[in-house]
Amino acid sequence: MKDLSELPIDMSQHAEVEAFFDPATNTISYIVRDPGSSACAVIDSVMDIDYAAGRIAFTHADALIEHIRAQGLDLQWLIETHVHADHLSAAPYIQERLGGRIGIGQGIVAVQETFGKIFNEGTEFQRDGSQFDRLFADGDTYEIGGLTAVALHTPGHTPACMTHVIGDAAFVGDTLFMPDGGTARADFPGGDAGELYDSIQRILSLPDAMRLFMCHDYGPGGRDIAWETTVAEERASNIHVGEGRSREAFIEMREARDATLPVPKLIIPSLQVNMKGGQLPEPEADGVRYMKVPLDRL
């Protein structure tokens, strides 16, 4: 991985961030705007699903679209921090209405290979990331108006996890939670607790004042939902990695904790949709779309 000192991370660039919380999945989506222009990006959008009823809706995505249109913004990017296992992406739905390019880390190909087999997708399912407009490698940059965004490979939760540093803001996906929430699980296929620790240390090597934005929050202890913290706050008080916790201690804690966690409720529909860039399954001969449920595989 590239040394952070070699990358164009510029704390003097201030990214304007608007957060949209989805209570059904405890996901926070973001609209990130360049204050010097109308350019913006959407980070980790959500498609609504009533899984028990098999119904899809776009209430959360429509709120993002309405805000972008009301502010007269130009959507340039739809960023997925990783292949989510707890909510469905609405990126294609938003792209169809507002434009922009859909981007994810190039580790998506490993995720597609693994879950393509689990869901028996067959040879027609391309496992090369071609469902996305851009695959980011570590250190890749892209522009949001006058803002320079830098993609950092931060695996451990999944092989495709990326942290996107946009000026003075970093979007960490599931790698980190708020300090009282700890860190992501590392027991999904391709996950690794040691890699997760190393990735977190990389994030914590960013400038102290760097704003960190979470993909999820569950309000530990009944506190209000929160999604913004800083590198300094995480380094000092994160319950899993703060105060200089060692790699060995973290791996022991993380693996023991992961063994007690249930499978995410929406993992089956989420992975089928998200590994394909947010595309729903194609309709079958009767015109209906169907999700697969692989028995005894997860």
Side-chain angles (χ1 to χ4, degrees):
M1 293 185 185
K2 295 185 177 180
D3 192 296
L4 295 183
S5 64
E6 300 174 356
L7 300 176
I9 295 170
D10 186 356
M11 290 288 290
S12 70
Q13 291 190 325
H14 178 70
E16 293 185 357
V17 180
E18 190 80 24
F20 295 77
F21 178 67
D22 176 47
T25 62
N26 287 81
T27 303
I28 304 98
S29 302
Y30 299 98
I31 296 174
V32 186
R33 179 180 181 177
D34 167 27
S37 71
S38 62
C40 73
V42 167
I43 312 286
D44 291 334
S45 62
V46 174
M47 179 196 304
D48 308 304
I49 183 170
D50 181 341
Y51 192 30
R55 294 191 180 278
I56 295 292
F58 295 96
T59 304
H60 187 80
D62 285 337
L64 300 176
I65 292 169
E66 180 180 352
H67 181 86
I68 289 169
R69 285 175 171 165
Q71 297 295 315
L73 302 181
D74 173 24
L75 180 60
Q76 298 188 346
W77 288 96
L78 295 123
I79 299 299
E80 301 293 333
T81 54
H82 63 293
V83 179
H84 308 277
D86 43 23
H87 74 268
L88 283 68
S89 169
Y93 176 85
I94 298 172
Q95 183 185 52
E96 183 178 342
R97 286 150 182 80
L98 298 177
R101 302 176 67 194
I102 302 174
I104 197 168
Q106 63 181 10
I108 179 63
V109 297
V111 177
Q112 289 177 329
E113 183 64 29
T114 297
F115 288 100
K117 293 176 181 177
I118 288 175
F119 289 104
N120 194 31
E121 289 289 343
T123 57
E124 65 273 15
F125 172 48
Q126 298 299 310
R127 295 162 169 82
D128 58 3
S130 57
Q131 301 85 351
F132 299 83
D133 300 311
R134 173 80 181 270
L135 301 184
F136 296 108
D138 183 57
D140 279 356
T141 63
Y142 58 100
E143 306 302 320
I144 306 169
L147 294 175
T148 297
V150 182
L152 304 179
H153 189 209
T154 48
H157 175 57
T158 80
C161 287
M162 305 289 286
T163 292
H164 289 260
V165 181
I166 306 172
D168 63 349
F171 299 84
V172 299
D174 287 5
T175 301
L176 276 170
F177 297 137
M178 294 296 289
D180 59 349
T183 62
R185 64 195 298 167
D187 60 336
F188 294 151
D192 181 273
E195 278 193 341
L196 179 61
Y197 181 87
D198 296 340
S199 293
I200 291 169
Q201 296 309 310
R202 194 179 193 207
I203 293 170
L204 298 183
S205 296
L206 292 166
D208 283 357
M210 178 72 72
R211 296 179 291 155
L212 300 181
F213 291 91
M214 312 295 110
C215 185
H216 296 285
D217 188 68
Y218 300 93
R223 66 154 169 76
D224 290 342
I225 298 298
W227 48 76
E228 179 181 349
T229 182
T230 66
V231 166
E233 289 168 351
E234 289 280 16
R235 189 186 301 120
S237 58
N238 184 284
I239 60 171
H240 291 169
V241 293
E243 299 180 336
R245 189 169 198 158
S246 73
R247 192 176 193 270
E248 293 73 20
F250 175 81
I251 292 172
E252 181 180 1
M253 176 281 301
R254 188 68 265 171
E255 290 181 347
R257 181 176 174 82
D258 288 350
T260 70
L261 297 177
V263 174
K265 293 179 180 179
L266 295 179
I267 189 171
I268 288 174
S270 295
L271 290 174
Q272 287 179 79
V273 168
N274 295 339
M275 70 178 179
K276 299 176 182 177
Q279 297 287 348
L280 291 168
E282 290 296 321
E284 296 193 8
D286 60 357
V288 178
R289 303 176 192 270
Y290 293 88
M291 295 280 191
K292 294 179 180 179
V293 179
L295 300 179
D296 302 320
R297 293 298 305 275
L298 295 174

